mmCIF file of all heavy atoms in Angstrom:
data_model
loop_
_atom_site.group_PDB
_atom_site.id
_atom_site.type_symbol
_atom_site.label_atom_id
_atom_site.label_comp_id
_atom_site.label_asym_id
_atom_site.label_seq_id
_atom_site.Cartn_x
_atom_site.Cartn_y
_atom_site.Cartn_z
ATOM 1 N N PHE A 80 -57.822 -28.340 7.142
ATOM 2 C CA PHE A 80 -56.341 -28.451 7.304
ATOM 3 C C PHE A 80 -55.864 -28.155 8.672
ATOM 4 O O PHE A 80 -54.724 -28.534 9.033
ATOM 5 C CB PHE A 80 -55.568 -27.654 6.277
ATOM 6 C CG PHE A 80 -55.912 -27.998 4.810
ATOM 7 C CD1 PHE A 80 -56.849 -27.381 4.117
ATOM 8 C CD2 PHE A 80 -55.274 -29.108 4.266
ATOM 9 C CE1 PHE A 80 -57.185 -27.693 2.799
ATOM 10 C CE2 PHE A 80 -55.467 -29.406 2.957
ATOM 11 C CZ PHE A 80 -56.486 -28.857 2.278
ATOM 12 N N GLY A 81 -56.615 -27.371 9.467
ATOM 13 C CA GLY A 81 -56.099 -26.957 10.767
ATOM 14 C C GLY A 81 -55.808 -25.481 10.790
ATOM 15 O O GLY A 81 -55.735 -24.827 9.773
ATOM 16 N N ASP A 82 -55.593 -24.923 12.042
ATOM 17 C CA ASP A 82 -55.338 -23.530 12.111
ATOM 18 C C ASP A 82 -53.956 -23.207 11.685
ATOM 19 O O ASP A 82 -53.020 -23.936 11.994
ATOM 20 C CB ASP A 82 -55.436 -23.142 13.610
ATOM 21 C CG ASP A 82 -56.968 -23.160 14.144
ATOM 22 O OD1 ASP A 82 -57.850 -23.056 13.258
ATOM 23 O OD2 ASP A 82 -57.153 -23.455 15.289
ATOM 24 N N ALA A 83 -53.913 -22.055 10.997
ATOM 25 C CA ALA A 83 -52.547 -21.628 10.417
ATOM 26 C C ALA A 83 -51.986 -20.502 11.350
ATOM 27 O O ALA A 83 -52.729 -19.814 11.972
ATOM 28 C CB ALA A 83 -52.794 -21.065 9.032
ATOM 29 N N LYS A 84 -50.683 -20.499 11.404
ATOM 30 C CA LYS A 84 -49.934 -19.415 12.050
ATOM 31 C C LYS A 84 -49.707 -18.357 10.934
ATOM 32 O O LYS A 84 -49.039 -18.655 9.961
ATOM 33 C CB LYS A 84 -48.682 -19.923 12.641
ATOM 34 C CG LYS A 84 -47.848 -18.797 13.219
ATOM 35 C CD LYS A 84 -46.546 -19.212 13.783
ATOM 36 C CE LYS A 84 -45.743 -18.123 14.420
ATOM 37 N NZ LYS A 84 -44.465 -18.529 14.945
ATOM 38 N N VAL A 85 -50.228 -17.174 11.096
ATOM 39 C CA VAL A 85 -49.975 -16.127 10.171
ATOM 40 C C VAL A 85 -48.721 -15.312 10.715
ATOM 41 O O VAL A 85 -48.887 -14.754 11.810
ATOM 42 C CB VAL A 85 -51.157 -15.114 10.014
ATOM 43 C CG1 VAL A 85 -50.865 -14.032 9.110
ATOM 44 C CG2 VAL A 85 -52.438 -15.949 9.472
ATOM 45 N N PHE A 86 -47.690 -15.408 10.020
ATOM 46 C CA PHE A 86 -46.371 -14.842 10.578
ATOM 47 C C PHE A 86 -46.468 -13.399 10.825
ATOM 48 O O PHE A 86 -47.083 -12.607 10.108
ATOM 49 C CB PHE A 86 -45.246 -15.217 9.644
ATOM 50 C CG PHE A 86 -45.006 -16.705 9.545
ATOM 51 C CD1 PHE A 86 -44.986 -17.372 8.248
ATOM 52 C CD2 PHE A 86 -44.785 -17.494 10.663
ATOM 53 C CE1 PHE A 86 -44.818 -18.675 8.200
ATOM 54 C CE2 PHE A 86 -44.596 -18.873 10.487
ATOM 55 C CZ PHE A 86 -44.554 -19.422 9.300
ATOM 56 N N ARG A 87 -45.697 -12.957 11.807
ATOM 57 C CA ARG A 87 -45.580 -11.527 12.138
ATOM 58 C C ARG A 87 -44.784 -10.858 11.051
ATOM 59 O O ARG A 87 -43.952 -11.517 10.409
ATOM 60 C CB ARG A 87 -44.843 -11.387 13.485
ATOM 61 C CG ARG A 87 -45.623 -11.687 14.684
ATOM 62 C CD ARG A 87 -44.785 -11.922 15.945
ATOM 63 N NE ARG A 87 -43.791 -10.831 16.103
ATOM 64 C CZ ARG A 87 -44.035 -9.668 16.807
ATOM 65 N NH1 ARG A 87 -45.245 -9.480 17.271
ATOM 66 N NH2 ARG A 87 -43.092 -8.796 16.944
ATOM 67 N N PRO A 88 -44.996 -9.604 10.750
ATOM 68 C CA PRO A 88 -44.265 -8.948 9.654
ATOM 69 C C PRO A 88 -42.846 -8.491 10.018
ATOM 70 O O PRO A 88 -42.065 -7.979 9.156
ATOM 71 C CB PRO A 88 -45.146 -7.693 9.447
ATOM 72 C CG PRO A 88 -45.790 -7.387 10.755
ATOM 73 C CD PRO A 88 -45.982 -8.694 11.438
ATOM 74 N N TYR A 89 -42.417 -8.613 11.359
ATOM 75 C CA TYR A 89 -41.155 -8.118 11.750
ATOM 76 C C TYR A 89 -40.081 -9.263 11.756
ATOM 77 O O TYR A 89 -40.319 -10.346 12.121
ATOM 78 C CB TYR A 89 -41.294 -7.633 13.178
ATOM 79 C CG TYR A 89 -42.464 -6.622 13.385
ATOM 80 C CD1 TYR A 89 -43.627 -7.146 14.101
ATOM 81 C CD2 TYR A 89 -42.624 -5.376 12.928
ATOM 82 C CE1 TYR A 89 -44.798 -6.457 14.239
ATOM 83 C CE2 TYR A 89 -43.628 -4.633 13.054
ATOM 84 C CZ TYR A 89 -44.756 -5.111 13.669
ATOM 85 O OH TYR A 89 -45.839 -4.265 13.814
ATOM 86 N N ARG A 90 -38.884 -8.848 11.273
ATOM 87 C CA ARG A 90 -37.779 -9.673 11.199
ATOM 88 C C ARG A 90 -37.042 -9.740 12.547
ATOM 89 O O ARG A 90 -36.994 -8.698 13.286
ATOM 90 C CB ARG A 90 -36.785 -9.273 10.142
ATOM 91 C CG ARG A 90 -37.321 -9.327 8.719
ATOM 92 C CD ARG A 90 -36.219 -8.908 7.669
ATOM 93 N NE ARG A 90 -35.154 -9.829 7.714
ATOM 94 C CZ ARG A 90 -33.874 -9.515 8.060
ATOM 95 N NH1 ARG A 90 -33.586 -8.316 8.441
ATOM 96 N NH2 ARG A 90 -32.988 -10.425 8.044
ATOM 97 N N ASP A 91 -36.458 -10.814 12.967
ATOM 98 C CA ASP A 91 -35.614 -10.969 14.097
ATOM 99 C C ASP A 91 -34.222 -10.644 13.528
ATOM 100 O O ASP A 91 -33.563 -11.462 12.952
ATOM 101 C CB ASP A 91 -35.639 -12.366 14.618
ATOM 102 C CG ASP A 91 -34.917 -12.555 15.895
ATOM 103 O OD1 ASP A 91 -34.144 -11.570 16.269
ATOM 104 O OD2 ASP A 91 -34.853 -13.567 16.525
#
Side-chain angles (χ1 to χ4, degrees):
F80 297 96
D82 293 332
K84 177 181 180 180
V85 178
F86 296 124
R87 288 164 50 86
Y89 313 106
R90 297 182 63 246
D91 184 353

